[in-house]
Amino acid sequence: MLCLPSTPHTAMARLPLPPASAFDPPDSNPDDIAILWEQVCPYRTTSTQCSKISSSGERGRANKRVDNGVGEADLTVSGSIISLSTFSKSKIAPGSSVSNTNPVTSMKFPTITTRCPDFSNIILRSCGIYISTKGPIVPDAFTHFGTEKPLQGYSSLEGLSHANVWVEKDSADLKRIAAEYLHMKGLDLCEEEFATRAKEVFLSGPWRSDEVSLDRQWRADRMIQLVCPPDESRAGWLPPPFLDGHGDVRWSWDVRPDCAYWLSLKGINPEYRHQVPSCTFVRKYITCPYFTIEFKRDGQSKNVAENQVAAAGSLALYNRWRLYTDERKANKILAAEDISNIRHYTLTFVGPAFCVWVLQPTIRDGQWNGCTMTSLLAADCIDEYAVEALIDWVNEIHRWGLSKHGPSCERDVKSILKVSGVRTSNIHEESASHIQ
């Protein structure tokens, strides 16, 4: 056995301890504590609710922290940003770093996403966007749109025979669909199961590879979780503005709805189709969305789905309004026009339960002042009569989108182009000028 030499005890003598006063914490200031709690408390609930999102991201998007070094910390998750300058109003000197001077920054601050309970207050209402769950009683989709159900089917309607988005089911199909949703609810299936079934039954998409005839008929294109955040470089795709007094809040509007229907540029005259991006936003071959859908699994808060479609729908509606106002500016001789047709429709699913909504702008003194998303029908797909009603709503929304919304957008585009000297055709102008 190897023996080590012993060490004299004097060599292990302890170093002298600092005075006891060195361990005493500084006296607290009750005023500072009161200010600190006033700043922190409103965010405690949000932080708890958003903790899972902060660690894993929303829809698989990476987390990222941004420190702008100008007196406020901006945290980014899933592309969503909220200004945290409110935490530095009392003790932070202008131009200083929050992380260096404010004890609050030792906490992990929440990031605002559509899943956060305060999203509607912090983001939507700051933009004048409101959600009304108690809308007027609407007997059916045909009453809302002022139409009648086509006896020969939607494909028999003039100008809509090639839309390929119509939902046509018989009574046996309705019972089978209701039974399927009841069974799925009992199995407590995930969100994607319900989303997949709804896309199969209610939300079909056209085959993009199909050859398109030169019939100039309007067509829709279904987009799934489209990544299309607004950008200053995209003149026709800007986020709804924050109203006065809310300029210190920022958010990316990268909402990526589960499903949305856009107008296909295949309905635009190819002779001036390339000019459309100079008037409104075009993403490759689609423009002017009119219908947005969001899914959540059964048991989740319906507010999350409502926040998502309210954000996505208001983004689309605001840019439709901008196209209209640009057309008015280009043609100052035109009289004021009814804007009741400037709207956007949304649909939310929470498990088998669904709700149909309409977004309409709030205009004050001729200027955008936000919008309201109003409930039109709330029901459940475990009921075959509710399934039939939902099919009617989906079909009529597409009918409106392709026979009213599409021609209306094209009229505004063509009017702007004509002022610039671009020659355009007269197709669709007559129908668009009589929109009610």
Side-chain angles (χ1 to χ4, degrees), residues 36-225:
L36 183 61
W37 275 111
E38 183 179 353
Q39 295 170 342
V40 174
C41 285
Y43 291 87
R44 294 179 65 196
T45 302
T46 304
S47 179
T48 301
Q49 295 294 331
C50 299
S51 60
K52 294 184 179 179
I53 301 173
S54 299
S55 60
S56 61
E58 185 177 33
R59 299 187 190 282
R61 285 171 253 167
N63 298 342
K64 180 180 179 182
R65 188 186 190 282
V66 178
D67 188 353
N68 60 18
V70 292
E72 66 179 41
D74 292 338
L75 302 186
T76 303
V77 173
S78 312
S80 303
I81 303 175
I82 176 173
S83 170
L84 298 181
S85 59
T86 54
F87 288 97
S88 57
K89 288 181 179 178
S90 60
K91 297 296 180 182
I92 304 299
S96 61
S97 171
V98 175
S99 60
N100 293 333
T101 59
N102 196 328
V104 177
T105 56
S106 62
M107 300 173 56
K108 186 175 183 180
F109 290 119
T111 295
I112 294 300
T113 72
T114 54
R115 294 178 181 272
C116 295
D118 288 334
F119 177 82
S120 61
N121 290 326
I122 296 175
I123 301 298
L124 296 183
R125 293 188 181 182
S126 297
C127 297
I129 301 168
Y130 294 89
I131 300 175
S132 176
T133 58
K134 295 183 179 180
I137 297 176
V138 182
D140 52 43
F142 308 106
T143 302
H144 174 76
F145 288 100
T147 57
E148 295 181 358
K149 191 170 186 176
L151 300 178
Q152 303 300 320
Y154 285 89
S155 296
S156 65
L157 296 175
E158 182 180 359
L160 300 177
S161 60
H162 297 287
N164 294 327
V165 292
W166 310 118
V167 185
E168 296 180 333
K169 307 292 182 181
D170 57 26
S171 58
D173 292 328
L174 300 179
K175 293 181 180 179
R176 184 184 181 190
I177 294 170
E180 176 71 4
Y181 271 99
L182 179 61
H183 196 67
M184 292 173 66
K185 181 177 182 179
L187 294 175
D188 193 24
L189 298 179
C190 67
E191 172 187 324
E192 193 57 36
E193 291 283 0
F194 284 97
T196 300
R197 182 63 71 204
K199 293 168 193 172
E200 294 171 347
V201 175
F202 306 110
L203 306 168
S204 61
W207 286 83
R208 297 184 176 93
S209 59
D210 287 349
E211 183 178 353
V212 178
S213 60
L214 300 178
D215 51 25
R216 298 289 310 283
Q217 291 190 12
W218 283 100
R219 291 166 172 80
D221 205 310
R222 187 190 68 181
M223 307 304 295
I224 304 298
Q225 294 186 8

